Amino acid sequence: MTGSAMAPHAGKQRAVVALMADAFPRIWRRFAVGGGLLLGLAAAPAVAQTSLGAPDPSNPHRSATDQRPADLVLLREWTTMQGAFAIGVHNAKPDPRDASARTIVVWVEAPGDVKLAVDTLRCSPEAPMRLTRRGRDLLIKELNPGGTITEANRLDHQIWWAACFPEQAGKDPATLQATARQLGYSGQLREQQQVLPGNPR
């Protein structure tokens, strides 16, 4: 892909990351972790999402895979009657205002479209978690690195490892129990999810 073709998409990604970098420190300040409770998140700002849209009509041969950034790590690929789908991550960054937080761009390919979102991960052994969006709702997923991996939590852990420990990106989290223990994670935390409804517009 030429530099001129990439420029609009790169600009959208930078805008998403910038918005998230501003939003999530305020989220962290509004919650306390203790006894599984997350307090004060009702006023949390929205998580930014955007779309790269369908392939450029002036270049009909340009597929979603042609848009992939060089540092993309694919986590999941599957095919249905509608076409090919994929989920990956890239651009993991530390948050300079929170030593335990990281952001990462989640890349979701669908037939004719690529959607982006920026997740924030907390990497501390005491409170590892993933913050992401489902529509307008904010999902707070408390994780247990080093614990049991199922189909229900595998993607959460894949994204968490890619953000918090990029050298493990793309590995099956079920094989990282010993690594998690070496890094100070007990593997005994309770996994749970809380949903904060977004404000209707």
Side-chain angles (χ1 to χ4, degrees), residues 120-177:
T120 291
L121 296 299
R122 173 153 278 185
C123 304
S124 68
E126 297 78 19
M129 66 179 65
R130 175 189 177 200
L131 276 74
T132 188
R133 265 289 185 195
R134 184 179 61 203
R136 292 194 179 100
D137 295 340
L138 178 65
L139 308 185
I140 304 167
K141 300 187 175 192
E142 299 178 59
L143 303 178
N144 179 34
T148 301
I149 300 298
T150 68
E151 286 309 303
N153 68 2
R154 185 178 302 277
L155 184 62
D156 293 326
H157 282 264
Q158 287 177 307
I159 294 172
W160 184 89
W161 279 103
C164 295
F165 299 96
E167 66 275 13
Q168 307 299 340
K171 295 182 181 179
D172 183 352
T175 68
L176 296 173
Q177 280 92 344

Side-chain angles (χ1 to χ4, degrees), residues 51-117:
S51 173
L52 299 186
D56 185 349
S58 67
N59 185 1
H61 300 294
R62 178 170 160 265
S63 67
T65 58
D66 293 328
Q67 303 182 67
R68 293 176 178 175
D71 64 337
L72 183 71
V73 177
L74 285 176
L75 303 179
R76 188 173 297 179
E77 294 182 272
W78 70 99
T79 302
T80 71
M81 294 180 63
Q82 287 73 40
F85 296 78
I87 297 175
V89 290
H90 76 107
N91 200 26
K93 291 183 177 181
D95 187 335
R97 290 160 292 188
D98 187 338
S100 71
R102 304 287 187 274
T103 62
I104 198 166
V105 177
V106 180
W107 176 280
V108 181
E109 290 181 14
D113 193 18
V114 177
K115 287 184 168 55
L116 305 176

Side-chain angles (χ1 to χ4, degrees), residues 175-188:
T175 68
L176 296 173
Q177 280 92 344
T179 301
R181 301 296 198 284
Q182 293 169 5
L183 293 168
Y185 298 88
S186 69
Q188 303 299 317

